[in-house]
Amino acid sequence: MKEILKNEMKLEFISKSSNEAFARIAVAAFASQLDPTIEELADIKTAVSEAVTNCIIHGYDHKHGIVKISAKLKENEIIIEISDKGKGIENIDEAKEPLYTTKPNLERSGMGFTIMESFMDKMEVESILGLGTKVTMSKIIKPKEEEEQEEFQMLIKD
Amino acid sequence: MESNFYEEDKLLVFTITDEIDDHSVQMIRRKADYEIERYMPKRIIFDFDRVTFMDSAGIGFIIGRYKFAKMLGAKLELSNLTQGVRKIFEMSGILRLIPVAEIY
Ligand SMILES: Nc1ncnc2c1ncn2[C@@H]1O[C@H](COP(=O)(O)OP(=O)(O)OP(=O)(O)O)[C@@H](O)[C@H]1O
Ligand SMILES: [Mg+2]
C-alpha cells in the first residue's frame, strides 16, 4: 500500500537559546494533530529540545547560525528532522554513548542522544565535520480508536 | 524559582517554577548558587512539584549543585519529582546518588 503523506511543516530560526522552548512547543502543537497522549507529547517535546539545544551549543558553539526543523505526519507516525550547518561531529558512535560530552565543564551530562533514542522510536544522526549535523527521529503515535478497540477485545476475551 | 531558608534546621528549599532547559537553567543556576553561598545551609532541597518540563539540562544542573553542596559540606536532596522529571533523572542514574525526600 502506498504511504499517504498527511501533513508537513518546516521551521527555521536563529541559534538563540530562547528559541529552544519555541521549537519544542511548535513541534508539539503540530504533532497534536495525531492525537498523542500527554506522555507521548512530552517525549516528543523533550527529544526536540535535546536536538535543538545540541545545534545551538555544540553545532554553532553559541555563535550565530540557523537551526532548521522539518516535521512530517504520516498515518500514525511523526518524523522530525533537526539540522544545523555548524561544526559537525567527528565520531558519531562515540557522541551517542551515554555520558559522553565534550562540554563537561559547562554542566552538560552527555545524556542528550540517549534521551532522544529512548523517547523516540527511531533516531539517526548524520554529520560531516565542518558542514553540519542532521538528526532524524520518528515516533509511532497509535490511533486512539485502535487502542480502544484493543481494550474492548481484552474485555470481551473471556 | 522561589527559595525559603529555615534557620533552625539550616535548611534551604528551592521551589523551581520554570521549565528547565539549557536557556532557563542559566538563571536558575545563578540564583541557586547565590542563595547557597548566602545562607550556607546544611541541607538543600530542590522541589520539582511545579516543573512542567525538563530536559538533560536538569541532570547537569543537579550534578553541578551536588558537587557544590558537597564542597560546602551540605546535603542535597530532591523532592516532588513529577513523572516527566523522574523519567529524565532515572535515565541518568543520579537517583542512586541523590536522595528523594517526599516530605520535608
Ligand atoms: N549538533 C551538533 N553539532 C556538533 N556536535 C554535536 C551536536 N550534537 C551533539 N554533538 C556532540 O555530541 C556530544 C553528545 O551529545 P549529547 O546531547 O548526548 O550530550 P551533551 O549535549 O554533551 O550533554 P547533554 O545533552 O546531556 O546536556 C556533545 O557533547 C557534542 O560533542
Ligand atoms: Mg545535548
Side-chain angles (χ1 to χ4, degrees):
Chain A
M1 202 175 78
K2 226 182 105 188
E3 267 182 50
I4 315 149
L5 183 68
K6 270 183 85 182
N7 204 350
E8 193 170 347
M9 71 92 159
K10 284 189 163 69
L11 203 63
E12 279 188 31
F13 49 89
I14 62 169
S15 54
K16 274 181 111 89
S17 66
S18 54
N19 284 330
E20 291 155 9
F22 160 70
R24 64 175 176 261
I25 290 165
V27 175
F30 183 67
S32 64
Q33 294 175 36
L34 289 179
D35 195 21
T37 61
I38 292 169
E39 196 179 355
E40 286 167 337
L41 211 52
D43 289 349
I44 292 170
K45 264 190 178 178
T46 311
V48 169
S49 198
E50 295 296 345
V52 169
T53 302
N54 279 353
C55 297
I56 295 172
I57 67 174
H58 301 299
Y60 294 122
D61 234 328
H62 288 290
K63 289 190 272 290
H64 178 88
I66 301 288
V67 179
K68 285 189 190 174
I69 299 183
S70 91
K72 290 189 180 89
L73 303 182
K74 289 193 176 159
E75 212 48 42
N76 58 354
E77 188 180 24
I78 180 163
I79 303 144
I80 307 164
E81 270 181 27
I82 300 180
S83 63
D84 64 66
K85 293 201 184 307
K87 71 166 186 230
I89 302 173
E90 198 169 333
N91 184 338
I92 296 174
D93 288 336
E94 183 181 49
K96 282 160 81 178
E97 290 280 322
L99 306 179
Y100 177 85
T101 180
T102 47
K103 288 193 184 326
N105 47 333
L106 291 175
E107 298 193 347
R108 308 308 315 182
S109 61
M111 289 302 291
F113 280 134
T114 310
I115 289 173
M116 289 182 246
E117 240 166 359
S118 83
F119 283 29
M120 302 293 282
D121 289 317
K122 265 191 239 160
M123 188 207 54
E124 269 170 44
V125 185
E126 294 163 68
S127 189
I128 302 174
L129 265 188
L131 287 181
T133 302
K134 181 167 92 181
V135 173
T136 308
M137 35 197 190
S138 60
K139 191 174 181 70
I140 306 279
I141 308 292
K142 247 191 181 177
K144 295 300 158 294
E145 306 89 77
E146 206 173 284
E147 258 170 36
E148 276 161 23
Q149 268 292 319
E150 270 170 31
E151 267 165 38
F152 180 67
Q153 294 296 337
M154 296 275 280
L155 272 175
I156 58 167
K157 220 169 79 185
D158 38 33
Chain B
M1 184 170 69
E2 293 161 11
S3 63
N4 280 299
F5 182 58
Y6 303 92
E7 182 69 55
E8 331 69 269
D9 306 315
K10 293 253 173 249
L11 166 66
L12 182 57
V13 179
F14 291 103
T15 307
I16 307 177
T17 52
D18 323 74
E19 301 203 321
I20 306 174
D21 64 15
D22 151 68
H23 179 73
S24 67
V25 83
Q26 298 173 34
M27 195 269 289
I28 298 172
R29 181 188 297 123
R30 227 175 296 132
K31 166 136 195 217
D33 288 354
Y34 174 81
E35 302 280 288
I36 292 169
E37 283 191 315
R38 177 171 160 206
Y39 292 113
M40 292 304 263
K42 281 279 156 231
R43 191 176 168 210
I44 303 164
I45 294 177
F46 283 99
D47 190 319
F48 288 84
D49 192 38
R50 282 152 75 185
V51 176
T52 51
F53 177 85
M54 184 180 88
D55 66 17
S56 65
I59 304 170
F61 170 72
I62 288 300
I63 294 174
R65 279 347 90 213
Y66 174 77
K67 290 182 183 159
F68 190 47
K70 210 171 168 188
M71 202 175 78
L72 300 174
K75 206 174 148 250
L76 186 78
E77 288 163 58
L78 311 176
S79 186
N80 288 317
L81 305 185
T82 51
Q83 199 192 3
V85 167
R86 182 174 284 277
K87 207 165 155 186
I88 298 280
F89 281 146
E90 267 169 1
M91 290 209 68
S92 73
I94 64 167
L95 296 181
R96 271 171 286 169
L97 197 70
I98 304 171
V100 180
E102 291 308 340
I103 16 169
Y104 54 84

